[in-house]
């Protein structure tokens, strides 16, 4: 009896093969650094704003792109209430605040309007923000990512030249489990991870005692396991939180604060690895 082999047609294989994407740099910028973590609420946005201002204080030209379409934090954390201008009706001019160029979907909708958008619309908004915003001669653009490993992360990883990702985590088990997924995603998509930050690492009481509220050493352990750089620790600090809530990040409000100095040191280290 004739043996029949069943195979996939060449056309089918071609149509279902993984697409190869062209990674476009964000126009008007030298380096793109994404601040990410698959987990929500670990301090990505707080880190992104303060880190961007810390880079600025290291004499660099910096922009912040808020890529969190469903839950933008930039307008509140940077106290921006104005709409970006468009000279030609096609491109958007970023809003300048504290010497940093800023863009967020939150500039275009009011604070209480929910973004009820499907994935392709999110992808298209990200493309607009990376290709149609007139970022002006930036050394670094800091991208504040939403939580998860969804459309936004995938668009950045596949279609935009991301020079490095900084992963922010808190030390407790439940956060670390998600962070592992985040690390694996960027590794798989070949986006370089610059290192991990241990945020809300400990709380220092008035007597100088350190309390490891969310556990200890988890982020450093992940770094060892996945062979990643440990960038450093940021403690739980009420001034950091209130400054973010009041629209002037701590590094800008008080550059001599001990927490601001941690950010400025981290920024110096990252600057040194690029320039
Ligand atoms: N080290 C810290 N000390 C004190 N408060 C902090 C610290 N880091 C972040 N916070 C506070 O925790 C809250 C959550 O932070 P933030 O919004 O930056 O997290 P996120 O990871 O961006 O959240 P989301 O996943 O929703 O985007 C904010 O109120 C922020 O001020
Ligand atoms: Mg955020």
């Amino acid at each position: 009896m004739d043996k029949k082999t069943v195979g996939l047609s060449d056309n089918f294989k071609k149509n279902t093969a993984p697409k190869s994407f062209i990674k476009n740099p964000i126009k008007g910028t030298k380096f793109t650094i994404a601040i990410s973590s698959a987990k929500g609420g670990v301090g990505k946005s707080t880190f992104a704003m303060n880190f961007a201002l810390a880079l600025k204080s290291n004499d660099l030209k910096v922009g912040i792109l808020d890529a969190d379409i469903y839950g933008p934090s930039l307008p509140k954390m940077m106290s921006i209430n104005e709409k970006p201008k468009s000279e030609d009706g096609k491109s958007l001019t970023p809003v300048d605040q504290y010497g940093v160029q800023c863009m967020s979907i939150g500039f275009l909708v009011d604070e209480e309007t929910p973004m009820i958008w499907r994935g392709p619309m999110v992808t298209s908004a990200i493309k607009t923000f990376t290709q149609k915003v007139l970022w002006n001669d930036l050394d670094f653009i800091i991208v504040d990512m939403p939580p998860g490993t969804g459309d936004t992360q995938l668009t950045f990883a596949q279609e935009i030249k991301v020079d490095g990702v900084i992963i922010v985590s808190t030390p407790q088990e439940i956060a670390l489990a998600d962070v592992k997924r985040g690390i694996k995603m960027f590794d798989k998509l070949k986006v370089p991870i610059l290192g991990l930050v241990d945020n809300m690492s400990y709380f220092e009481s008035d007597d100088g005692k350190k309390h490891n509220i969310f556990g200890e050493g988890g982020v450093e352990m992940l770094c060892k396991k996945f062979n990643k750089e440990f960038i450093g620790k940021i403690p739980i600090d009420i001034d950091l939180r209130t400054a973010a809530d009041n629209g002037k990040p701590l590094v800008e409000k008080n550059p001599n604060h001990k927490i601001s100095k941690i950010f400025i040191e981290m920024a110096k280290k990252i600057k040194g690895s690029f320039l």
Side-chain angles (χ1 to χ4, degrees):
M1 220 168 85
D2 275 356
K3 257 197 194 163
K4 280 193 177 171
T5 53
V6 180
L8 301 173
S9 75
D10 287 345
N11 209 19
F12 182 87
K13 282 187 205 158
K14 203 175 108 201
N15 288 335
T16 53
K19 273 195 209 165
S20 60
F21 290 95
I22 296 167
K23 295 191 179 191
N24 293 309
I26 300 181
K27 281 181 199 157
T29 69
K30 282 199 193 94
F31 300 110
T32 298
I33 297 182
I35 311 301
S36 196
S37 163
K39 185 77 183 163
V42 293
K44 293 178 293 298
S45 302
T46 308
F47 182 87
M49 309 299 141
N50 281 286
F51 183 70
L53 288 158
L55 283 168
K56 187 202 74 174
S57 83
N58 275 281
D59 302 318
L60 294 166
K61 282 190 80 178
V62 184
I64 310 174
L65 168 55
D66 182 356
D68 196 338
I69 302 296
Y70 296 113
S73 296
L74 191 150
K76 185 160 173 54
M77 287 187 176
M78 295 286 281
S79 191
I80 298 174
N81 301 309
E82 67 183 89
K83 296 216 179 303
K85 296 189 175 60
S86 176
E87 300 290 333
D88 58 2
K90 289 183 198 142
S91 49
L92 290 169
T93 306
V95 176
D96 207 85
Q97 178 72 307
Y98 311 133
V100 169
Q101 296 171 34
C102 301
M103 184 53 68
S104 168
I105 191 85
F107 297 166
L108 306 169
V109 290
D110 79 67
E111 210 181 339
E112 287 173 14
T113 304
M115 299 302 294
I116 311 170
W117 280 5
R118 289 190 191 279
M121 289 168 79
V122 171
T123 306
S124 139
I126 297 297
K127 285 187 183 159
T128 302
F129 284 167
T130 50
Q131 303 304 327
K132 302 264 168 71
V133 172
L134 303 173
W135 302 104
N136 185 11
D137 192 26
L138 298 180
D139 294 308
F140 284 94
I141 184 158
I142 302 303
V143 183
D144 180 18
M145 297 289 249
T149 50
D151 290 307
T152 303
Q153 284 79 0
L154 208 56
T155 305
F156 271 93
Q158 293 184 317
E159 301 184 48
I160 295 159
K161 185 177 85 60
V162 176
D163 300 285
V165 180
I166 295 178
I167 294 188
V168 178
S169 183
T170 47
Q172 73 273 41
E173 291 288 324
I174 193 87
L176 297 173
D178 279 357
V179 168
K180 282 181 204 162
R181 274 190 278 277
I183 295 175
K184 285 188 178 169
M185 182 193 76
F186 287 116
D187 276 352
K188 198 167 173 182
L189 297 168
K190 298 197 168 40
V191 181
I193 294 176
L194 299 175
L196 275 70
V197 171
D198 188 1
N199 188 34
M200 307 195 209
S201 187
Y202 57 88
F203 174 74
E204 196 174 321
S205 47
D206 290 343
D207 56 7
K209 211 172 154 210
K210 287 182 180 171
H211 306 266
N212 295 305
I213 293 174
F214 294 130
E216 195 185 2
V219 178
E220 275 170 290
M221 188 206 66
L222 269 195
C223 287
K224 286 204 185 90
K225 182 167 176 203
F226 289 95
N227 198 20
K228 305 291 174 207
E229 187 85 18
F230 180 66
I231 296 178
K233 295 177 181 182
I234 299 168
I236 299 177
D237 188 89
I238 193 159
D239 296 336
L240 185 61
R241 205 266 310 148
T242 49
D245 276 354
N246 294 330
K248 193 169 200 179
L250 190 61
V251 169
E252 183 67 17
K253 188 174 171 231
N254 182 1
N256 293 318
H257 193 291
K258 63 180 177 188
I259 306 290
S260 302
K261 286 183 179 164
I262 299 176
F263 279 105
I264 292 167
E265 260 321 294
M266 284 180 180
K268 202 169 160 189
K269 208 161 131 188
I270 299 292
K271 174 185 174 182
S273 63
F274 282 91
L275 296 166

